[in-house]
Amino acid sequence: MSLMQGPSSAPTRGYKKKERTRRQLIEAAVEEIATNGEAFTILDVTKRADVSNGTFYNHFDDRDTLIDAVIAEVATAFTDTSAKLITFDDPVLRFATITALLLEHSAANPQLAAVLLRLPTLARVASPTSDPFRHLRNDLAAAVQQGRLTREPTDAALDVATGTLFRAVLRVTTERTTRAYRTELIAILLETFGLDAGEAQEMAAEATRAAPEFDRAYREADV
């Protein structure tokens, strides 16, 4: 297929309707998970989307392929919206604040956050634009380039950071955590990448304090 498509290749009315229905099903599944958890049925989703079961199978092979689409949708929404909301020039503060927002939003939406804990699925559906942890690589690399941090975001370093964040998301969705816990975790991550301990603590505290306000803005963005 050519990248340069002419007018005849414009989406048809039928194509637009198909995409609209597919999005209805994904949004219905997101709502179902957020409300009732992951133990939903295809019938639950089709009822919420107001479509037939037959229509469902025009778009997805089964429940698992729908969940894959939901994971990609949630990951993309978080990545895109947080990037629009948090625009600090300092990549270290941006990293700390997006991380704090991830933990804040996960705590407020444990059912939906639990879906993102499907590590193998997330790895399979993630892309350069939908990886919810891409701020790790981008912001940490920028911080190293600016001399703000000293440890390069190598695959090993990123594995340590993402593994820590997955464990933290699990904790905040299953336990009542304090602001002190989130501040300490973010400070440790910043120190791991070479930020001075005192500055890491101050920046982590600032990011954690700001997280509830950013979470309100995130929810008002209707993602």
Side-chain angles (χ1 to χ4, degrees):
M1 180 184 293
S2 171
L3 294 178
M4 299 294 292
Q5 296 180 336
S8 62
S9 64
T12 64
R13 183 178 300 176
Y15 174 83
K16 289 180 179 179
K17 181 179 179 181
K18 185 175 182 180
E19 285 299 298
R20 188 166 58 249
T21 302
R22 184 177 188 277
R23 174 150 294 279
Q24 281 178 241
L25 288 163
I26 293 173
E27 290 176 354
V30 169
E31 293 172 5
E32 191 66 34
I33 293 169
T35 304
N36 301 314
E38 201 177 329
F40 65 87
T41 66
I42 290 173
L43 183 59
D44 292 330
V45 173
T46 55
K47 281 184 176 180
R48 190 180 284 269
D50 195 24
V51 301
S52 69
N53 271 22
T55 298
F56 174 90
Y57 289 105
N58 289 333
H59 298 273
F60 301 101
D61 293 337
D62 50 30
R63 184 176 173 280
D64 287 339
T65 55
L66 173 62
I67 290 178
D68 283 357
V70 167
I71 291 173
E73 177 76 12
V74 172
T76 300
F78 179 82
T79 303
D80 291 350
T81 306
S82 61
K84 290 175 183 176
L85 291 174
I86 300 170
T87 58
F88 301 122
D89 291 334
D90 182 355
V92 183
L93 180 57
R94 194 166 59 240
F95 161 77
T97 308
I98 292 178
T99 301
L101 173 58
L102 174 66
L103 298 177
E104 182 77 23
H105 196 67
S106 296
N109 300 271
Q111 304 274 35
L112 207 51
V115 175
L116 284 180
L117 292 173
R118 288 171 161 238
L119 285 165
T121 303
L122 182 59
R124 185 172 69 253
V125 302
S127 71
T129 58
S130 70
D131 179 1
F133 297 118
R134 76 180 187 194
H135 68 280
L136 285 170
R137 184 176 297 102
N138 295 342
D139 290 339
L140 293 174
V144 171
Q145 188 174 22
Q146 293 176 16
R148 297 279 286 118
L149 298 177
T150 59
R151 182 181 292 278
E152 292 283 348
T154 61
D155 287 342
L158 287 170
D159 284 348
V160 169
T162 54
T164 298
L165 283 176
F166 268 106
R167 184 66 185 85
V169 168
L170 177 60
R171 185 180 294 278
V172 301
T173 57
T174 56
E175 303 175 20
R176 178 170 296 183
T177 59
T178 63
R179 178 181 290 180
Y181 164 79
R182 300 179 198 181
T183 298
E184 181 183 7
L185 185 134
I186 295 170
I188 290 171
L189 284 176
L190 295 176
E191 289 181 57
T192 298
F193 283 93
L195 193 65
D196 171 77
E199 186 178 0
Q201 182 66 30
E202 290 177 6
M203 190 167 289
E206 180 181 348
T208 308
R209 282 194 301 270
E213 182 179 346
F214 278 115
D215 187 48
R216 283 193 293 273
Y218 184 94
R219 286 183 274 111
E220 289 169 3
D222 193 28
V223 295

